């Protein structure tokens, strides 16, 4: 397995989807399956289609390299909620999760633990619409913040929550008011409450990679403000390796 990825390490790969120029598109599409190419073809805008292909191509090339499998031979299966995973036919297990936003992609990889990762672009909010993403406690805590801090704090909450529901593999089918996360950049990312059978907050870690935000900004340009945070794992303090993939 590439770099001897050990049980206590989570690798995070970050790359620029905009590098998928028209001339690179055939190369990037080479490892994709018919299902993935069909999904790409359904995008209305060429830019979105190109980004999807670059994201899937990067996922296949990076995950395949850990397993010693050619990208086009990497077999993926999907759970009932659409989360991809390594198919049993590959003969090895590896946990991974992909997030993309605009021209950025981030991939978390672990040999042992379930992981979820999320990146979001910090954009203006419609504040009358944000409550559906929050628990009552989170909404109350956010409402008490100074107006100048509200937007950034909301995106901190949202990326933590999205990363968690991606880690457990059910996406937004899991009620967002069934768990609380810490609010704002001043507190360490943490799951504080979880109403779910067989799980407690102590089972999960929420981590913001220390240098991932700067890498995100480098890849997207200084004018594209990103919140690049966290991945969740079944280990209280995993070791994180953040890597820049210059080409997918």
């Amino acid at each position: 397995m590439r770099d001897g990825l050990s049980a206590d390490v989570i690798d995070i790969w970050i790359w620029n989807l905009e590098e998928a120029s028209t001339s690179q598109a055939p190369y990037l599409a080479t490892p994709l399956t018919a299902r993935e190419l069909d999904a790409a073809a359904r995008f209305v805008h060429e830019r979105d289609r190109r980004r999807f292909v670059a994201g899937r191509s990067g996922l296949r090339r990076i995950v395949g390299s850990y397993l010693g499998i050619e990208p086009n031979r990497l077999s993926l299966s999907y759970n009932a909620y659409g989360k991809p995973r390594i198919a049993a036919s590959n003969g090895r297990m590896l946990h991974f999760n992909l997030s993309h936003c605009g021209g950025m992609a981030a991939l978390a990889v672990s040999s042992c633990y379930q992981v979820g990762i999320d990146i979001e672009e910090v954009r203006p909010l419609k504040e009358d619409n944000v409550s559906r993403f929050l628990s009552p406690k989170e909404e109350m805590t956010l409402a008490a913040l100074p107006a100048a801090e509200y937007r950034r704090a909301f995106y901190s909450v949202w990326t933590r929550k999205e990363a968690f529901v991606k880690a457990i593999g059910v996406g937004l089918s899991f009620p967002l008011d069934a768990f609380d996360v810490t609010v704002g950049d001043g507190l360490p990312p943490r799951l504080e409450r979880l109403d779910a059978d067989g799980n407690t907050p102590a089972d999960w870690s929420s981590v913001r990679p220390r240098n991932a935000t700067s890498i995100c900004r480098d890849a997207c340009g200084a004018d594209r403000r990103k919140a690049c945070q966290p991945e969740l794992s079944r280990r209280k303090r995993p070791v994180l390796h953040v890597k820049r993939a210059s080409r997918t």
Side-chain angles (χ1 to χ4, degrees):
M1 194 174 287
R2 172 199 253 193
D3 294 337
L5 185 63
S6 60
D8 62 345
V9 170
I10 295 172
D11 280 350
I12 300 173
W13 290 86
I14 295 174
W15 67 98
N16 188 336
L17 299 176
E18 298 294 354
E19 291 180 354
S21 66
T22 302
S23 62
Q24 293 175 307
Y27 162 78
L28 292 169
T30 300
L32 271 61
T33 64
R35 173 177 175 164
E36 290 166 331
L37 291 172
D38 182 62
R42 289 197 293 270
F43 284 97
V44 174
H45 300 292
E46 175 61 27
R47 182 184 65 179
D48 296 332
R49 186 180 305 117
R50 196 166 60 242
R51 287 173 174 176
F52 175 85
V53 169
R56 282 297 174 142
S57 176
L59 184 155
R60 285 186 162 274
R61 295 178 193 281
I62 292 169
V63 172
S65 72
Y66 283 96
L67 300 174
I69 299 173
E70 290 296 319
N72 63 321
R73 295 183 177 274
L74 179 67
S75 181
L76 301 177
S77 60
Y78 298 81
N79 71 8
Y81 302 93
K83 183 179 181 179
R85 58 193 173 195
I86 303 296
S89 59
N90 290 291
R92 286 165 137 186
M93 179 52 65
L94 193 70
H95 298 281
F96 63 92
N97 190 239
L98 175 70
S99 179
H100 51 82
C101 178
M104 267 304 301
L107 177 71
V109 183
S110 170
S111 64
C112 189
Y113 303 106
Q114 299 174 60
V115 288
I117 191 166
D118 188 52
I119 56 175
E120 298 288 341
E121 184 175 359
V122 178
R123 297 176 293 184
L125 293 170
K126 295 181 179 179
E127 294 189 20
D128 58 347
N129 196 37
V130 300
S131 61
R132 64 192 180 99
F133 301 112
L134 306 169
S135 70
K137 179 182 178 182
E138 292 161 349
E139 187 173 9
M140 181 176 65
T141 306
L142 280 168
L145 293 176
E149 298 178 19
Y150 184 91
R151 182 171 65 168
R152 188 79 187 180
F154 169 80
Y155 278 103
S156 292
V157 170
W158 175 237
T159 49
R160 291 166 192 176
K161 292 178 80 76
E162 175 108 353
F164 174 70
V165 296
K166 291 178 71 180
I168 61 176
V170 300
L172 296 180
S173 67
F174 191 84
L176 295 175
D177 60 357
F179 64 103
D180 301 326
V181 299
T182 49
V183 176
D185 291 337
L187 293 173
R190 188 174 63 251
L191 192 63
E192 295 193 310
R193 175 184 64 91
L194 177 58
D195 294 341
D197 292 340
N199 282 274
T200 69
D203 293 327
W204 296 91
S205 292
S206 177
V207 184
R208 177 188 297 173
R210 279 179 291 183
N211 60 335
T213 301
S214 61
I215 293 175
C216 286
R217 287 177 178 166
D218 288 345
C220 293
D223 60 329
R224 298 290 301 279
R225 296 172 58 199
K226 302 280 176 177
C228 184
Q229 12 198 97
E231 77 297 326
L232 281 292
S233 81
R234 284 278 187 179
R235 180 177 174 85
K236 283 301 291 178
R237 295 185 182 180
V239 177
L240 304 179
H241 291 168
V242 181
K243 302 166 183 280
R244 171 84 175 269
S246 59
R247 291 181 63 118
T248 55

